[in-house]
Amino acid sequence: MTAPVASPSATGRYEAVIGIEIHVQLRTRSKMFCGCSTDFQAAPPNSHTCPICLGMPGTLPVANRLAVEHVLATGLALEAEIVPVTRWDRKNYFYPDLPKGYQISQYDLPLTQNGRLTFDTSEGPFTVGIRRAHLEEDTARLLHMTGDSGDRASLVDFNRSGVALMEIVTEPDLRTAEQARRYAEELRLLLLTIGASEAALESGQMRVEANISLRPIGAQAFGTRVEVKNMNSFRSVERAIGHEIERQAGVLSNGGDVIQETRGWDENRAATYTMRLKEDSQDYRYFPEPDLPPLKADPAWLDEIRARQPELPAARRARYRAELGLSAYDANVIVGDLKATRVFEGALAAESALPAKRVANWVTGEYLRLAKGSDAIDALEPAELGRLLRLVDEGTLSGTSAKEVFARIFAGERTAAVVEELGLAQISDGGALETAVDEVLAANPAAVEDIRAGKAQAIGFLVGQVMKQTRGRANAAMVRELIRSRLDAAPPAATAPRRPKGTPEASG
Amino acid sequence: MATLSRADVEHVAHLARLGLTDEELGRLEGQLNHILDQYEILAALPTDEIAPTAQTIELENILRADVTTPSLPVDEALAGAPDRARDLFVVPQIIGGD
């Protein structure tokens, strides 16, 4: 890019003012205003349409109750006000992705407004104000092509047209790219937790746009703002905003003016580029949608939705720390991943006597290592992890064997069956251990001598030999005790044989 | 008095994607200003006691359960398309929208 690069001192003279707009597709089976299925990812183009989502004249939209409830649930989770009576509005513009020539949306009476969301950053907790969350319909998908004669054409697939969409807008409270990324991540976790959206950035179920302006530190008035789009991962959100802050600081510190425009983020070039100038601001001529009656969110309905609300991420983190004694790190890692949360809760529910910290270690360690770092399919039944850890706790299974068993229960097997099949149950039976210990003592007279001569570290060598003989299944603590008691009781050998060549020096 | 200028009329015509001749623009400027004059008469009525009304039918919360219904066969959906490429509608490309 030819844009001047800001020196660190230039960036330091300005404060960034960032607001985020996020669109998410809501998790419903049918579209917002008609019964067409939303399950079209693998379907042929235009196979999920009807006269309503094709915008045919004379059709009448009817709102999807579940979509409305998803927005109300989101509003409650964001501690927002729920507007007692709301209505729909038409946002008018012409574009081929919009068959009616208007989008049904909400303008001055969004379903919910004035909420907030708190999240952690590297500089501590941060709370962003949520201006509004409203309901609207998604547009069709466009593909662009150039025909044989060089004509440029757009191909339209209306499968996505009319899918329920929620728009969530923050106040311009954010100041850094990291805060913006963390907000988007925490909002996604919240939406997944309450089941309002699948919220995958890569597939466009969640679309993040940032409005960014700079002002001299200490100034009140906002600078000219630039809208940044096309950020398809959380990493891109942070990089794109960081880049745009630097770009604007470069322009301003060189005496230039920031131009109001929409810029796209190019992940490969790590730069933003001009998509559209906003010289004449859009004129959408909003007016009330006459085809849809107003919507009243009465207290009884809200109570119903509130009663269905699961534990939210912030409350869950607090409970894990205060009641289960987990570290902030463990609580964040587990709560940040819904599958890890399910495994943790399920294992503890199955074996409530287990120390929560131990379960947490396994979830953040072995479980997430396999779930995220391998191609293995996660078919873990959480209760099986509980059973596995109980066997470790009881001394039936060694730590090493437990990891071997875990890899199998991760793939869907039962703990008891795997332990049985592999013959992994730890030997804590005194008689069986005594036999193994006696054999090892007889085979290693040199080490026995060393111990008698005061080299206590040699016990470690003998314990190792017993573990080897029992393929790791011996209870190490019991073996150590047995060796001690055997050597205390038995008389010293009359003539100690020389240590055979190759026997390692017992060193503990 | 309503004061829609010629430029206002041209702007509204552009938003509605209407290509109008000079003669039509002139005629519509007069007609639109006349309509606005009628609204000024209405605006003089005392309405402080009346809540803003977007609808006069006394219905609310007309909602449907989240249940799917059959969609149109693709050929029927595309029957009115000006042009098609396989199962897609084809329209001239518009630059600069979003």
Side-chain angles (χ1 to χ4, degrees):
Chain A
M1 296 297 303
T2 52
V5 174
S7 66
S9 63
T11 312
R13 283 207 299 274
Y14 300 99
E15 173 184 62
V17 176
I18 306 163
I20 302 284
E21 276 181 36
I22 290 180
H23 287 85
V24 289
Q25 285 179 352
L26 295 172
R27 211 177 76 175
T28 58
R29 278 189 287 269
S30 65
K31 293 185 181 181
M32 184 62 226
F33 297 114
C34 64
C36 285
S37 167
T38 55
D39 184 19
F40 51 74
Q41 293 304 332
N46 291 306
S47 60
H48 286 55
T49 68
C50 74
I52 291 176
C53 58
L54 286 171
M56 304 276 188
T59 54
L60 198 61
V62 185
N64 185 329
R65 174 185 292 272
L66 182 60
V68 174
E69 291 184 345
H70 281 326
V71 178
L72 294 175
T74 303
L76 293 174
L78 292 171
E79 301 171 63
E81 298 160 14
I82 309 291
V83 181
V85 183
T86 184
R87 61 151 193 267
W88 307 91
D89 295 283
R90 289 185 179 182
K91 178 181 179 178
N92 299 278
Y93 65 92
F94 289 105
Y95 202 62
D97 64 4
L98 196 66
K100 296 189 294 293
Y102 59 85
Q103 179 188 33
I104 302 177
S105 181
Q106 298 194 283
Y107 182 50
D108 55 347
L109 287 173
L111 264 173
T112 74
Q113 56 190 14
N114 298 331
R116 62 201 159 130
L117 184 64
T118 301
F119 47 86
D120 266 335
T121 72
S122 61
E123 294 169 335
F126 188 87
T127 300
V128 65
I130 305 291
R131 181 176 292 174
R132 58 186 287 160
H134 75 252
L135 198 44
E136 57 189 33
E137 53 179 342
D138 210 345
T139 56
R141 244 170 65 81
L142 294 182
L143 299 162
H144 301 293
M145 68 160 201
T146 304
D148 298 337
S149 53
D151 296 346
R152 292 165 73 80
S154 294
L155 307 178
V156 196
D157 173 8
F158 285 99
N159 280 349
R160 198 182 67 185
S161 171
V163 167
L165 203 60
M166 170 165 61
E167 180 179 325
I168 304 171
V169 184
T170 72
E171 297 293 345
D173 293 343
L174 302 161
R175 294 290 175 269
T176 69
E178 187 209 354
Q179 286 169 0
R181 170 179 60 81
R182 287 291 305 120
Y183 161 68
E185 287 173 342
E186 187 70 9
L187 181 70
R188 173 169 187 271
L189 178 63
L190 190 79
L191 296 174
L192 285 173
T193 303
I194 65 174
S197 174
E198 307 278 349
L201 265 74
E202 321 78 65
S203 62
Q205 288 167 325
M206 176 168 174
R207 302 162 213 161
V208 181
E209 292 160 28
N211 282 300
I212 305 161
S213 65
L214 259 53
R215 61 183 174 193
I217 287 177
Q220 287 301 306
F222 293 137
T224 304
R225 72 169 193 218
V226 169
E227 188 179 343
V228 177
K229 293 182 158 194
N230 285 2
M231 300 174 285
N232 298 325
S233 68
F234 291 114
R235 184 168 165 266
S236 315
V237 169
E238 184 162 352
R239 291 183 75 201
I241 294 173
H243 175 277
E244 180 59 21
I245 291 170
E246 271 185 41
R247 189 191 68 83
Q248 291 186 23
V251 169
L252 294 172
S253 62
N254 286 313
D257 289 321
V258 171
I259 298 163
Q260 185 174 348
E261 60 182 336
T262 299
R263 296 179 74 88
W265 170 245
D266 183 333
E267 181 71 38
N268 294 326
R269 291 192 307 153
T272 58
Y273 59 92
T274 296
M275 288 175 85
R276 181 154 50 90
L277 297 176
K278 288 206 164 174
E279 276 162 357
D280 45 15
S281 67
Q282 300 274 6
D283 187 345
Y284 293 122
R285 295 154 295 144
Y286 283 95
F287 65 87
E289 163 61 79
D291 287 345
L292 288 159
L295 196 63
K296 212 174 235 178
D298 63 63
W301 192 14
L302 291 179
D303 285 346
E304 230 176 86
I305 293 167
R306 206 178 274 120
R308 288 203 298 263
Q309 197 95 286
E311 186 178 36
L312 299 178
R316 190 171 277 159
R317 287 188 193 100
R319 179 171 63 86
Y320 283 4
R321 295 183 64 182
E323 291 176 25
L324 302 178
L326 298 195
S327 66
Y329 174 82
D330 282 349
N332 275 337
V333 170
I334 295 173
V335 174
D337 183 306
L338 284 194
K339 279 158 75 182
T341 304
R342 193 182 66 93
V343 169
F344 177 73
E345 299 263 343
L348 264 186
E351 298 290 340
S352 54
L354 285 173
K357 174 70 189 158
R358 173 99 43 83
V359 181
N361 284 344
W362 272 78
V363 172
T364 59
E366 285 302 292
Y367 172 72
L368 285 178
R369 190 178 63 77
L370 283 184
K372 290 188 166 170
S374 77
D375 296 331
I377 305 288
D378 179 1
L380 177 65
E381 175 56 51
E384 295 301 321
L385 173 61
R387 292 186 187 117
L388 175 72
L389 298 186
R390 196 190 62 197
L391 292 181
V392 176
D393 239 29
E394 292 171 349
T396 309
L397 213 57
S398 71
T400 320
S401 300
K403 288 188 180 173
E404 193 181 338
V405 175
F406 184 74
R408 302 267 303 260
I409 63 172
F410 184 84
E413 294 187 62
R414 305 269 147 192
T415 299
V418 177
V419 169
E420 166 103 40
E421 184 199 318
L422 298 180
L424 282 174
Q426 184 161 284
I427 304 169
S428 300
D429 168 52
L433 285 183
E434 276 176 32
T435 310
V437 166
D438 287 343
E439 284 172 19
V440 166
L441 290 182
N444 296 279
V448 170
E449 261 328 289
D450 285 346
I451 296 166
R452 290 219 163 100
K455 286 180 75 176
Q457 311 96 298
I459 288 185
F461 167 71
L462 292 177
V463 173
Q465 292 302 303
V466 174
M467 296 308 281
K468 194 171 159 192
Q469 183 160 334
T470 56
R471 292 190 295 131
R473 293 152 58 208
N475 180 322
M478 286 182 72
V479 169
R480 187 172 289 269
E481 271 316 295
L482 263 174
I483 293 172
R484 280 218 180 88
S485 67
R486 276 287 193 277
L487 294 186
D488 284 349
T495 52
R498 295 173 59 83
R499 175 183 296 128
K501 219 180 168 187
T503 303
E505 186 76 26
S507 59
Chain B
M1 278 299 287
T3 49
L4 260 191
S5 69
R6 173 69 167 243
D8 291 330
V9 180
E10 283 172 4
H11 177 62
V12 172
H14 170 71
L15 288 175
R17 301 296 186 271
L18 296 175
L20 300 175
T21 63
D22 279 356
E23 188 269 324
E24 286 167 327
L25 284 169
R27 196 167 71 232
L28 283 165
E29 185 182 342
Q31 289 179 351
L32 287 171
N33 274 313
H34 180 67
I35 290 168
L36 288 180
D37 286 343
Q38 313 309 308
Y39 275 97
E40 286 205 355
I41 295 170
L42 290 172
L45 293 171
T47 54
D48 298 347
E49 304 287 304
I50 302 170
T53 308
Q55 275 186 327
T56 53
I57 44 168
E58 293 191 4
L59 290 173
E60 59 185 36
N61 290 20
I62 304 298
L63 298 166
R64 41 175 274 277
D66 180 32
V67 172
T68 58
T69 52
S71 293
L72 290 175
V74 176
D75 282 337
E76 212 170 304
L78 282 151
D83 189 8
R84 65 184 275 186
R86 290 192 295 278
D87 292 338
L88 292 152
F89 291 78
V90 179
V91 296
Q93 186 168 330
I94 294 168
I95 309 289
D98 71 347

